[in-house]
Amino acid sequence: RKVIFSGIQPTGIPHLGNYLGALKQWKHLQDTASPDTKLIYCIVDLHAITVPRERGLLTQNKREMLAALLAIGLDPTRSTIFHQSSVPAHSELQWILSCTASTGYLSRMTQWKSKLQSQSPSDTATTTTTTSHPALKHGLFSYPILQAADILLHRATHVPVGDDQRQHLEFARECVTNFNHTYAASVFAPPSTILSPARRVMSLRDPTQKMSKSDPNPASAIFITDDADTVRKKIKHAVTDSENAVGYDPEGRKGVANLLEMVGHLTGQSAEEIAGDMKGMGLGALKGRVVEVVEGELGPIRERYAEVVGREGYLREVAEVGGARARESAEETMRLVREATELGGEC
Ligand code: TYM
């Protein structure tokens, strides 16, 4: 049976990178999946507590993320939408997988290495150990095991994500091999990665960096609830280059290429085609086109978001129903895991 699973951190309103790289694909899969395909979308609050935050913010972020997922068109009667912490088996399976996961592999993960580097004096970055950095928490190190547990707990066959999650997916497949080998079992099967065509949307302020929720400059990203005026201003000020003519050169003209690709992902054309259609035009015209297609896509989402975010009772109900369905799905797997590991048996 086909099972589609994916997750997003409740660390703020999703941006155009999250939307084009993942959420639009989630909705597309929902709308095109055969009736017997299971669709599970998770708001990963346990992953979000790996970084410090003020009291109250997580609750707010979780509610806003749920509202955003409904606003982009996920249907809670078709897709299971839930908060990760409402299914304790995510943490339980994480521990069990951690007992067969390799620390060597984890320490080579690029996300961990970049965290390590950003916390270390640059000249010692590659040699320092984690023990000398009190700001580096173990949760950041074992983060990929929890992500593998998310996926395997629901025995996902397909995981739609953006490019930055590819390595985490490879690690999840490694967890499958380690677990099945250790317990001479075939409880898990390796999940496939589904990369959307928009695998890496870049920052509007620095087109060499990916658009990111953790970027402190809000002008670097378009959030899916930004109003029309904000969208227009952010795109107008997007960093491009000094050549005032539309042309697609993903290596030499990264800022312009990012804008062309955005239009392409929203209209279904290729970036080359759009550049061809706009040949001879200036960058102002290209930015105008970006504003038009982004606004066309986000306008209705923004309206639905405003309508749903205040309906606290409804949001709670959606989360409760989703949580109950996800616990059921988890329990099927945990029965097999407990049997394989002798953790659930009678003594
Ligand atoms: P997160 O919350 O950072 O991002 C959610 C999704 O958005 C994609 N994405 C992007 N795609 C294209 N361009 C960008 N600039 C961009 N920025 C983000 C991400 O690839 C992701 O698909 N570790 C995960 C959450 C997670 C998860 C899982 C995902 C936890 N468990 C199980 C899949 C399966 C994360 O932090 O995503």
Side-chain angles (χ1 to χ4, degrees), residues 42-307:
C42 181
I43 298 171
V44 294
D45 51 359
L46 294 169
H47 280 109
I49 67 166
T50 51
V51 289
R53 74 246 147 248
E54 277 167 38
R55 181 154 190 88
L57 190 62
L58 185 62
T59 304
Q60 181 192 333
N61 281 344
K62 285 170 64 171
R63 189 188 323 119
E64 290 179 355
M65 183 56 77
L66 182 53
L69 296 184
L70 298 173
I72 63 132
L74 292 187
D75 169 5
T77 64
R78 175 66 183 96
S79 298
T80 296
I81 310 169
F82 73 107
H83 297 298
Q84 189 184 28
S85 63
S86 68
V87 184
H90 282 259
S91 310
E92 186 183 359
L93 183 59
Q94 191 246 331
W95 174 256
I96 293 171
L97 293 178
S98 79
C99 295
T100 54
S102 138
T103 52
Y105 198 128
L106 285 168
S107 59
R108 287 191 299 275
M109 304 290 285
T110 47
Q111 231 168 59
W112 168 250
K113 285 202 294 192
S114 68
K115 289 272 168 19
L116 200 60
Q117 228 141 38
S118 64
Q119 303 281 338
S120 311
S122 56
D123 52 341
T124 56
T126 50
T127 52
T128 42
T129 62
T130 56
T131 49
S132 57
H133 296 287
L136 280 176
K137 306 302 182 195
H138 183 265
L140 280 173
F141 185 66
S142 52
Y143 183 112
I145 312 178
L146 181 58
Q147 181 159 347
D150 297 341
I151 296 165
L152 301 183
L153 183 60
H154 300 282
R155 283 187 293 155
T157 55
H158 296 82
V159 185
V161 286
D163 192 62
D164 59 351
Q165 297 301 314
R166 246 185 337 173
Q167 200 181 32
H168 286 154
L169 268 286
E170 269 162 39
F171 180 75
R173 290 188 279 271
E174 175 77 8
C175 287
V176 169
T177 310
N178 291 339
F179 181 94
N180 286 349
H181 177 77
T182 303
Y183 294 104
S186 52
V187 173
F188 299 118
S192 309
T193 307
I194 303 183
L195 284 179
S196 76
R199 45 178 61 189
R200 209 169 149 81
V201 177
M202 308 310 276
S203 157
L204 297 178
R205 301 307 306 164
D206 177 359
T208 65
Q209 302 295 317
K210 70 171 183 191
M211 192 177 279
S212 162
K213 273 187 264 165
S214 55
D215 192 319
N217 184 354
S220 67
I222 292 168
F223 298 97
I224 64 168
T225 55
D226 279 347
D227 61 39
D229 197 43
T230 306
V231 169
R232 194 177 50 74
K233 283 194 187 124
K234 285 182 176 177
I235 292 170
K236 193 167 154 231
H237 292 117
V239 169
T240 46
D241 52 50
S242 54
E243 190 185 333
N244 189 23
V246 177
Y248 185 58
D249 174 4
E251 279 315 307
R253 304 186 69 196
K254 289 191 193 311
V256 176
N258 192 35
L259 295 178
L260 284 166
E261 284 163 10
M262 272 181 200
V263 176
H265 297 312
L266 287 166
T267 60
Q269 291 167 283
S270 72
E272 285 92 345
E273 263 177 292
I274 298 153
D277 291 348
M278 299 194 77
K279 205 165 180 259
M281 294 190 202
L283 296 183
L286 172 60
K287 287 182 172 178
R289 180 87 182 110
V290 180
V291 171
E292 190 188 323
V293 294
V294 168
E295 183 51 24
E297 184 88 8
L298 296 189
I301 291 177
R302 185 167 61 224
E303 272 171 37
R304 278 197 298 272
Y305 179 84
E307 194 253 318

